[in-house]
Amino acid sequence: MIQATDIPPTTDGAAVPVPAAVPRGHGRQREQILQRVLRLLHREEGGVLWIEGPAGAGKSRLLAFAAEEAAPAGALVLTGGGVAGHGMPPLAPLLDALGPLPALRSREPGSAHREPGTYPEAGSPYQLMRQVEDRLRDLAHDRPLVVVLDDVQHCDEPTLLAVRGLTARLAGLPLLWVLAARSHHDVPAVESLRRDLLTERAVPLDVPALDPEAVRLLVRDLLGPRAAQADPYLPLCGGLPGAVRQLCALLASRTGTPGAVRTGGDPVAGAVAARRLDQLTRHAKELVLIASALGDSLTVRHLSRVLGCGESALLRPLGEVLAAGLMRAGQQHLAFAHPSVRDAVVATLPPPVRLSVRRRSVDLRLADGTPPAVLAAEIAELAEPGDEHAIRVLATAARELAPHSPATAAAHLRRAMELSRDAAPRRMRLAARLIPLLWETGEADEARALAREVVQVPPDAATHARVCLELTRMGGRFPVAEAEAHLRRALGHRGVPQPVKDQLLSTTLLNRLLAGEAEEAGGALAGSLARARGTHPLNDLTQRTLRSMSACHRQRWTEALGHSESVPAKVAELDPAYGAALPEVVVSTVWRAALLGLAGDGTAAAELVEGGLADAEQRGRRAYLPLWRTARARLLLDGGRLPEAARELAAAQEPAAAREPAAAGAGPRASGTSAASEAAVVCARARIAFHTGDDAELEACSALAEACLEGEDRQSRRAGAWIAVLTALYRDEALTRHQLGVAAAHLRRGFLHATCLDAGDVVLLVAAALASGQRDMAAAAVEFAEERARLNPGLPLFAGAAAHARGLFARDADLLAEAAELHGAARPLLRARALEDAGECAAATDAGTARSRFEEALRLYTGCGAQRDARRVHGRLRKLGIRPLGAACAAAPAVPEPEWRGLTRSELGVVRLIAHGATNREAAERLFLSPHTVNTHLRHAFEKLGVRSRVQLARLYAREVDSAAVSA
């Protein structure tokens, strides 16, 4: 029945005053109702209004509005309505509307008055309908009559038939029928009544949800100053006034200030959701509950399969759900109106039901061919220990995801291991697959611990060999006792595939060569390589890298370039998904880039490094980031971009922020990196500090060098000796023969981990030997440089270094000038040092020549950010009586700070050169980039700086950057 607060009941035909309702929204509908009431009152024109909308949309309020307008103006308002459930007598809603009025006129004798709440004795519905018709005729003859029936969808079938007949037979009377029903009702008789009435020109009124502004005003009217408390819950109401009123009543009864909606535990959210669900039909409620367990977005086909019914069976309940505003339909998917709606609905489901529905959904999607990688996270959450199907799906998903997202793949394998904890062999095999993923993503300690467990109790020979291979790929020493025995066992077992044996052998040799343990470049290495009989592309790639490094150790750099030339082609032969994730591929590519940089092809080298770094960052391969960043820093250092190189090295060591003690005094290093790779980083840091004059940084590098000298790693000891040379030159200190000898061994080796030594380092060794009074050692270094240049005639850097070393040893200014020309623009620091040395040799005899060479060296040093070198040359000029210009002698960094006007470091590098007059091609050559990349950076810089031309760019740069450097 309709509540008295919505529509006033009548007593003996006398209208009762209607309580005021808050008129929020639905203005168009109220206007139409008012027009029909006025027609009834002034023209005695009846009719039918059919009001339709979802539960809680405000239909009862509109019925109350119709009564409010009609009763005070003289119309008689009769109200009734259907009641959910059964047990009411036929025509009860109409009889209730007529109320305890005078006795119904009957053609049968014995009719009597009916007391309130009682009904006539059982008779045929036809007889009752005729009695109701007669009474309505009588009342309509006295004054205009409004019959209001709510919840028509709950009326009994005789009442629906009576309404259908009475609206037709009483059409000429001043009688207005106002009928309200829920949209998408699942009652055929109501649908038939609706269709017939609308066909005969009944006026339909659809009641939509309120707009947000109307909802806001309604909440303010109901809650007053506490209106803001309703904001988190309003998405649950769907703009339905009934739901909003219930929400406000619940909030008004609460004390305190509610916080955010807590799904599953918030009584307010639960009550609102429960009421909205209760207002749906059984099938619609079932649909919403099941859909809430399936996720935020789903298809009708999948929903029908989970429900076990045809798609056509969902049309009516789905239409009801959409009309209620609980869900919305897109082009292909259904979705809940708001995440909080779904959360509140799914919280009403018992957890076992929720899990059962989700499991069925997963099974159906797998059967439909959905890739396991898409469902793996959901399966991992739902699976129980021992679920063989879930274990297989997770393992398959990990295999598919490993190339693209190793961290996600590792999480799936971890979960698969948890599910198979009672099956030791399977768990060990899964662990063998998890180990490389853990290492890639920077979890080196966990990877080594897991590898130690598998190696000690392997499930089979093949798994044992593969884990040994992964341990070798990680670098460093085996974390297990009797490592050599494990390797021999893996290489000798018949159950191990030959490609695995070949790769294990090649990777072991590569690891030892990088670590400085394989000093013999000929016999032992060549013999070991000959044992690897496989022809797999990865093994071939590794062997070519080994031969290339061996050639470098023998100072055959041209041969080394030849061996590495096929690296890109061999990488392309590998699985494109997995190739980039293999350590051998990364090391080989970094090595190839280092050789290209040494050969003067900085652009090609930068392309390899940038591609590898981008892949590592995008895929989350944290283990490779230090290697790629160190390679990039080395290219920047060689190109004379010292500030950028320093920042890159700092970024390379960010994963090592949480330092841990290293083995046997090898110095602190990042988890998962070898001592040799860390030594390469420290050497680069020391070189930068040597040029920039960073005392604190060089002292830190010197302390690390001392730790390296005390360690057991050969590469680290040699790197420590080289840093000692740089420190001695920096402090103007002498070196012992032993120190110079170890440093010379470092240079003769040719490379440090996967990084080539700089061709010009031999000049520093000559300078250190001469400063220490060890002229014979300086002569030996000069001979080494000249022999290296003779063996590699196609590499001008070696020729320039040899000329520079000889010129420095012999104090030959012309030879030093020739060295400067050989170094060229690609190596500004080497060129500047040769010019400085040439100027010093010429200072005593030709001051003009010395001055020009000093000034050119000063310009180059300043452009590179080499403040210490610039200050030294400035002092040499002052000795000649020359005071350089302030901008030239400031020795301030020529590169603006990274935060200048929002430009990135790459864009800043391009802007600096362009602002100083370089063309795009010149900037590309200097920055080791392609002209296309330079053009892209320049276009972005123009947009950020708000300039339109190079002239404007140069003026802005000069005003804000160059002028600041001069002031400094």
Side-chain angles (χ1 to χ4, degrees):
M1 296 291 291
I2 303 175
Q3 299 296 321
T5 54
D6 290 331
I7 298 179
T10 57
T11 304
D12 293 330
V16 177
V18 182
V22 180
R24 292 298 180 197
H26 303 149
R28 184 178 63 83
Q29 289 80 0
R30 289 200 302 273
E31 181 65 27
Q32 288 182 272
I33 291 173
L34 180 60
Q35 290 177 3
R36 299 299 301 189
V37 170
L38 291 177
R39 288 182 186 180
L40 172 69
L41 295 173
H42 298 295
R43 302 181 188 177
E44 296 190 345
E45 179 181 327
V48 180
L49 282 177
W50 180 270
I51 300 176
E52 186 174 288
K59 301 184 297 296
S60 297
R61 290 280 169 172
L62 290 175
L63 296 181
F65 174 76
E68 287 175 349
E69 296 298 326
L76 177 63
V77 179
L78 305 178
T79 65
V83 178
H86 303 283
M88 300 294 290
L91 301 182
L94 290 174
L95 295 173
D96 282 337
L98 289 169
L101 298 174
L104 294 173
R105 218 168 41 190
S106 175
R107 289 179 171 80
E108 299 179 2
S111 298
H113 292 279
R114 182 168 66 87
E115 295 299 327
T118 64
Y119 298 94
E121 295 181 3
S124 70
Y126 176 75
Q127 292 173 338
L128 292 175
M129 185 181 73
R130 292 301 301 269
Q131 292 174 356
V132 171
E133 178 183 349
D134 291 342
R135 186 57 181 154
L136 290 175
R137 285 184 185 275
D138 289 345
L139 294 174
H141 281 130
D142 294 337
R143 52 178 166 166
L145 183 63
V146 178
V147 178
V148 177
L149 288 181
D150 199 3
D151 288 327
V152 173
Q153 75 279 357
H154 293 320
C155 291
D156 59 285
E157 194 164 341
T159 299
L160 298 175
L161 293 173
V163 171
R164 175 68 187 89
L166 293 173
T167 54
R169 287 197 292 272
L170 303 178
L173 298 176
L175 171 58
L176 176 63
W177 297 81
V178 185
L179 311 174
R182 290 184 187 175
S183 53
H184 299 275
H185 34 72
D186 195 11
V187 182
V190 176
E191 183 63 30
S192 177
L193 172 65
R194 175 182 181 276
R195 183 174 59 252
D196 292 344
L197 292 179
L198 295 181
T199 301
E200 295 179 4
R201 298 184 180 179
V203 177
L205 290 181
D206 290 325
V207 185
L210 297 180
D211 61 74
E213 179 61 19
V215 170
R216 187 184 66 81
L217 293 174
L218 178 58
V219 172
R220 188 185 66 183
D221 291 337
L222 295 172
L223 287 181
R226 297 179 61 186
Q229 296 179 8
D231 291 344
Y233 299 95
L234 291 181
L236 298 174
C237 300
L240 301 178
V244 174
R245 288 189 177 89
Q246 181 211 12
L247 167 64
C248 292
L250 291 169
L251 292 175
S253 65
R254 297 181 66 185
T255 58
T257 302
V261 178
R262 304 187 310 277
T263 58
D266 193 318
V268 175
V272 175
R275 169 168 173 161
R276 295 198 64 188
L277 290 175
D278 290 341
Q279 292 171 335
L280 301 175
T281 60
R282 180 176 64 85
H283 294 297
K285 180 178 180 179
E286 201 174 276
L287 183 148
V288 173
L289 288 171
I290 297 301
S292 69
L294 297 179
D296 294 322
S297 179
L298 66 158
T299 63
V300 174
R301 178 177 180 273
H302 183 64
L303 182 59
S304 68
R305 295 183 66 194
V306 174
L307 289 168
C309 62
E311 295 177 30
S312 59
L314 295 183
L315 294 179
R316 187 175 295 278
L318 182 57
E320 182 181 353
V321 171
L322 295 175
L326 290 168
M327 300 184 73
R328 60 175 181 267
Q331 291 294 330
Q332 299 179 347
H333 294 82
L334 299 171
F336 278 83
H338 192 274
S340 62
V341 176
R342 175 186 172 266
D343 293 342
V345 172
V346 78
T348 64
L349 276 176
V353 176
R354 200 182 312 162
L355 289 175
S356 177
V357 171
R358 293 180 64 189
R359 287 192 182 110
R360 174 167 172 74
S361 171
V362 168
D363 291 340
L364 288 172
R365 283 180 282 170
L366 282 173
D368 288 342
T370 302
V374 176
L375 302 174
E378 197 170 353
I379 292 172
E381 179 185 353
L382 299 174
E384 297 178 351
D387 189 335
E388 295 292 329
H389 178 64
I391 293 171
R392 288 194 299 271
V393 171
L394 289 171
T396 302
R399 184 179 295 108
E400 294 176 0
L401 288 169
H404 314 292
S405 180
T408 305
H412 293 334
L413 285 177
R414 277 196 183 103
R415 180 58 176 153
M417 289 176 62
E418 293 174 2
L419 297 175
S420 59
R421 61 174 179 265
D422 296 332
R426 166 175 286 184
R427 184 179 179 279
M428 291 294 100
R429 293 187 182 95
L430 291 171
R433 293 177 50 192
L434 176 59
I435 290 167
L437 297 176
L438 292 174
W439 185 80
E440 274 185 58
T441 54
E443 304 294 336
D445 292 339
E446 184 179 352
R448 291 180 185 276
L450 197 57
R452 184 187 306 112
E453 180 182 353
V454 177
V455 166
Q456 290 174 347
V457 190
D460 52 69
T463 301
H464 174 265
R466 288 190 171 92
V467 174
C468 288
L469 174 59
E470 297 304 336
L471 281 170
T472 306
R473 284 170 166 165
M474 293 180 201
R477 300 184 181 278
F478 265 37
V480 293
E482 300 181 358
E484 292 296 331
H486 281 286
L487 289 176
R488 288 194 299 270
R489 174 183 170 188
L491 292 172
H493 202 288
R494 293 183 179 180
V496 178
Q498 187 61 43
V500 175
K501 292 182 179 180
D502 292 338
Q503 192 57 33
L504 176 57
L505 176 60
S506 298
T507 307
T508 301
L509 292 172
L510 178 60
N511 184 38
R512 290 177 177 176
L513 194 64
L514 290 173
E517 297 176 7
E519 292 299 328
E520 189 176 349
L525 181 59
S528 298
L529 290 175
R531 290 169 51 199
R533 300 183 298 275
T535 58
H536 191 277
L538 180 60
N539 187 47
D540 191 11
L541 172 69
T542 309
Q543 291 189 33
R544 288 177 183 272
T545 302
L546 280 165
R547 291 189 170 94
S548 179
M549 289 183 168
S550 177
C552 289
H553 184 58
R554 293 180 283 113
Q555 303 305 317
R556 266 60 174 183
W557 294 88
T558 304
E559 180 184 339
L561 276 165
H563 284 305
S564 72
E565 189 173 353
S566 61
V567 166
K570 289 298 177 183
V571 172
E573 292 180 28
L574 300 172
D575 185 335
Y578 290 88
L582 296 172
E584 300 95 314
V585 172
V586 175
V587 169
S588 297
T589 306
V590 170
W591 175 249
R592 171 68 178 170
L595 289 175
L596 288 172
L598 192 71
D601 193 352
T603 301
E607 288 177 359
L608 290 177
V609 172
E610 294 298 329
L613 181 57
D615 177 82
E617 289 176 334
Q618 292 169 7
R619 310 299 186 195
R621 295 179 176 132
R622 295 174 54 201
Y624 301 140
L625 289 177
L627 189 59
W628 287 118
R629 291 193 180 278
T630 302
R632 177 196 266 179
R634 173 56 190 275
L635 292 176
L636 293 170
L637 173 58
D638 291 344
R641 297 161 64 184
L642 296 177
E644 294 175 70
R647 287 193 292 268
E648 202 64 42
L649 285 175
Q653 293 191 298
E654 282 178 4
R659 295 281 187 177
E660 59 185 12
R669 59 175 178 271
S671 177
T673 63
S674 69
S677 62
E678 179 69 10
V681 174
V682 177
C683 279
R685 288 172 53 193
R687 284 184 59 194
I688 294 172
F690 178 81
H691 289 293
T692 59
D694 190 336
D695 295 340
E697 176 70 354
L698 196 63
E699 288 299 325
C701 292
S702 179
L704 291 173
E706 291 178 4
C708 290
L709 287 168
E710 296 173 0
E712 297 179 359
D713 186 87
R714 297 182 182 179
Q715 284 277 57
S716 296
R717 289 203 302 269
R718 285 190 289 255
W722 181 247
I723 296 173
V725 169
L726 294 179
T727 305
L729 286 172
Y730 190 88
R731 299 170 178 170
D732 292 327
E733 296 176 350
L735 290 163
T736 66
R737 293 184 65 83
H738 174 72
Q739 290 174 315
L740 290 170
V742 179
H746 172 70
L747 293 184
R748 290 191 179 92
R749 179 167 177 79
F751 61 93
L752 179 57
H753 197 250
T755 304
C756 299
L757 299 184
D758 188 80
D761 282 349
V762 69
V763 177
L764 295 178
L765 180 62
V766 172
L770 291 174
S772 302
Q774 305 292 335
R775 193 167 179 82
D776 58 332
M777 300 199 74
V782 171
E783 291 175 2
F784 164 75
E786 291 175 338
E787 176 65 11
R788 186 178 60 178
R790 186 186 65 79
L791 294 173
N792 303 279
L795 299 177
L797 277 178
F798 289 138
H804 194 164
R806 175 60 68 182
L808 187 62
F809 183 79
R811 299 195 58 80
D812 187 330
D814 293 335
L815 201 55
L816 291 169
E818 179 186 345
E821 293 301 318
L822 289 171
H823 290 316
R827 293 298 181 91
L829 287 171
L830 294 180
R831 179 180 174 84
R833 181 59 187 256
L835 288 169
E836 179 188 357
D837 290 339
E840 184 182 8
C841 289
T845 58
D846 189 347
T849 301
R851 173 181 177 175
S852 64
R853 288 172 178 170
F854 283 149
E855 288 179 342
E856 176 64 11
L858 178 60
R859 184 188 67 80
L860 291 171
Y861 282 141
T862 303
C864 293
Q867 296 98 321
R868 175 176 176 271
D869 297 327
R871 288 195 297 269
R872 185 179 62 246
V873 175
H874 178 257
R876 297 186 190 280
L877 283 169
R878 289 180 65 86
K879 288 181 180 180
L880 294 178
I882 301 166
R883 183 180 181 84
L885 295 177
C889 68
V895 180
E897 291 302 316
E899 61 270 15
W900 184 64
R901 286 186 170 259
L903 298 186
T904 65
R905 286 185 295 176
S906 299
E907 291 165 353
L908 282 168
V910 171
V911 165
R912 175 174 65 89
L913 295 177
I914 298 299
H916 289 153
T919 65
N920 282 18
R921 182 167 297 280
E922 290 171 346
E925 292 175 354
R926 177 73 183 276
L927 299 175
F928 306 108
L929 299 173
S930 67
H932 173 74
T933 302
V934 169
N935 186 59
T936 301
H937 288 328
L938 193 59
R939 185 173 67 253
H940 292 164
F942 272 32
E943 294 173 357
K944 293 179 180 180
L945 299 175
V947 299
R948 297 184 179 181
S949 68
R950 292 168 178 262
V951 174
Q952 291 178 332
L953 174 65
R955 289 173 179 170
L956 179 65
Y957 191 92
R959 183 172 65 251
E960 296 191 4
V961 179
D962 286 341
S963 61
V966 172
S967 300

